[in-house]
Amino acid sequence: MAKTLDIVPVNDWGFFTLPRPMVIAGPCSAETRDQVLTTARGLRRFGINVFRAGIWKPRTHPGSFEGVGTEGLKWLREVKEETGMKVCTEVASEKHVYECIKYGIDMVWLGARTTANPFLVQEIAEALKDTDIPVLVKNPVNPDLDLWIGALERLNRCGIRKLGVIHRGFSTTENILYRNAPGWQIAIELRTRYPQLPFFADPSHMGGDRKYLMEISQKAMDLGLEGLMVESHCDPSCALSDAKQQLVPEDLEQLLLDIQVRDADTDDRVYKEGIDQLRAQIDIIDDNLLYTFGSRMNVSRKMGEYKRDHNIAILQTSRWDSIMAKMLSKGAGYGLSETFLTTVFNAIHEESVRIQNDIIENKS
Ligand code: PEP
Ligand code: MN
């Protein structure tokens, strides 16, 4: 059973205005005072309230641009004073946290490489202990939901209750269109476990190219996520990091006009009646599925006893292969995908083998 997190609702942070999406935008890296202020003014013009800029950059190779450091915090403070925007940056050590506190940074996030390191997360959580600074936690680079949750728990245990997450996808060795594999099912699982946790998508790092920003942002909205963190630069072609995935403020404005945000819920009576009927049908079908699974496993149990009494091995792979082939072709006739059928029937088979094993080993 998942432990609960004690979270302050995002509407009470005083950072974002409704309706969705809540947007955090700004350059990958703060590069110069002029670049930071020009970008912030461009974003402020169409109502962006929360500005991001990386000050310390975790780069794959040494010698790449590693951020301007503390100097950039002064520029963020200027953005805050001039535009009234909230400002945020990535922290990866307690030293970064202390610097942020000194310069009045309003919110911080943990990068994907930091979330994957419990020592660093603990150190950062302790440094943030007596502050009221909200913390957004990016998913770890590897698709490990527990590691992501562990980071949230560490922060929460140190009293950080203004807590949220950013989904930026996962490193992969597979050849995919995007820079990072979306792994939406992991985000959905986290959302289901902690529905109160404010959830942002980062289409910039997931896509790795501005041409994918629209489709990923739309997907995030379709999944009902609260917000987006998007990289925006006043002159992306000259950006010192992540040039390909940043877009000028005007293009972000257009993207936000183009995405369709469907209501997470509605008071419409006709819609509610329709959806209630469909949900009632689903509930009945799910009950039937449970009954069917139960019956299926009862037969497996009998088979286990029968095999045990006749001294026969449990696993006859050739039989399972032929059952699976039959299921795939039959299932296609019901409009069921091969991936779905393989997942479901492999799970059923594994459980059946486990039950029979227990019988042979006299456990039941
Ligand atoms: C960033 O937001 O600029 C960044 C480095 O992101 P990530 O941690 O997702 O790679
Ligand atoms: Mn970046």
Side-chain angles (χ1 to χ4, degrees), residues 199-232:
F199 218 119
F200 292 79
D202 174 347
S204 309
H205 290 90
M206 186 181 287
D209 191 313
R210 55 190 154 268
K211 70 179 173 210
Y212 300 128
L213 291 181
M214 179 65 200
E215 64 189 52
I216 300 174
S217 303
Q218 184 62 58
K219 176 87 177 169
M221 289 303 102
D222 293 346
L223 289 172
L225 307 191
E226 277 77 23
L228 300 170
M229 176 188 257
V230 186
E231 287 190 340
S232 176

Side-chain angles (χ1 to χ4, degrees), residues 27-29 52-54 56-59 90 109-115 138-139 141 166-169 179-180 202 205-206 229 231 241-242 245:
C28 177
S29 306
R52 67 150 279 157
W56 302 278
K57 298 304 297 178
R59 304 309 297 277
E90 173 178 342
W109 77 84
L110 267 56
R113 297 155 193 80
T114 307
T115 308
K138 287 200 174 196
N139 63 262
V141 270
I166 306 173
H167 182 53
R168 49 77 86 193
R179 175 173 172 185
N180 287 294
D202 174 347
H205 290 90
M206 186 181 287
M229 176 188 257
E231 287 190 340
S241 58
D242 289 350
Q245 71 195 31

Side-chain angles (χ1 to χ4, degrees), residues 5-7 91 97 108-110 114-115 118 120-129 131 133-138 147-165:
L5 294 170
D6 179 17
I7 305 288
V91 290
V97 173
V108 295
W109 77 84
L110 267 56
T114 307
T115 308
L120 285 179
V121 176
Q122 189 62 35
E123 170 183 316
I124 292 166
E126 280 164 26
L128 282 163
K129 208 171 206 151
T131 73
I133 298 175
V135 183
L136 300 180
V137 181
K138 287 200 174 196
L147 202 52
W148 199 359
I149 293 174
L152 293 164
E153 287 170 347
R154 279 177 200 282
L155 288 155
N156 208 215
R157 279 188 184 196
C158 281
I160 294 146
R161 298 175 55 235
K162 291 182 181 164
L163 204 52
V165 289

Side-chain angles (χ1 to χ4, degrees), residues 35-184:
Q35 168 247 7
V36 167
L37 283 161
T38 308
T39 308
R41 288 176 193 134
L43 293 165
R44 185 69 187 127
R45 198 183 46 74
F46 60 94
I48 301 295
N49 297 323
V50 186
F51 185 74
R52 67 150 279 157
I55 297 292
W56 302 278
K57 298 304 297 178
R59 304 309 297 277
T60 304
H61 298 285
S64 310
F65 174 65
E66 288 183 332
V68 289
T70 303
E71 179 70 8
L73 293 174
K74 295 182 192 157
W75 308 333
L76 289 185
R77 195 168 55 187
E78 271 193 72
V79 166
K80 190 172 156 166
E81 284 164 2
E82 185 191 306
T83 67
M85 291 165 107
K86 302 279 187 191
V87 293
C88 62
T89 195
E90 173 178 342
V91 290
S93 69
E94 60 178 8
K95 176 178 160 286
H96 294 164
V97 173
Y98 296 137
E99 292 289 276
C100 285
I101 295 172
K102 204 154 96 195
Y103 286 88
I105 298 303
D106 298 293
M107 177 165 75
V108 295
W109 77 84
L110 267 56
R113 297 155 193 80
T114 307
T115 308
N117 184 331
F119 289 128
L120 285 179
V121 176
Q122 189 62 35
E123 170 183 316
I124 292 166
E126 280 164 26
L128 282 163
K129 208 171 206 151
D130 297 318
T131 73
D132 193 34
I133 298 175
V135 183
L136 300 180
V137 181
K138 287 200 174 196
N139 63 262
V141 270
N142 51 325
D144 183 341
L145 181 58
D146 277 332
L147 202 52
W148 199 359
I149 293 174
L152 293 164
E153 287 170 347
R154 279 177 200 282
L155 288 155
N156 208 215
R157 279 188 184 196
C158 281
I160 294 146
R161 298 175 55 235
K162 291 182 181 164
L163 204 52
V165 289
I166 306 173
H167 182 53
R168 49 77 86 193
F170 304 97
S171 284
T172 176
T173 50
E174 279 172 40
N175 197 4
I176 57 168
L177 282 180
Y178 295 167
R179 175 173 172 185
N180 287 294
W184 287 112

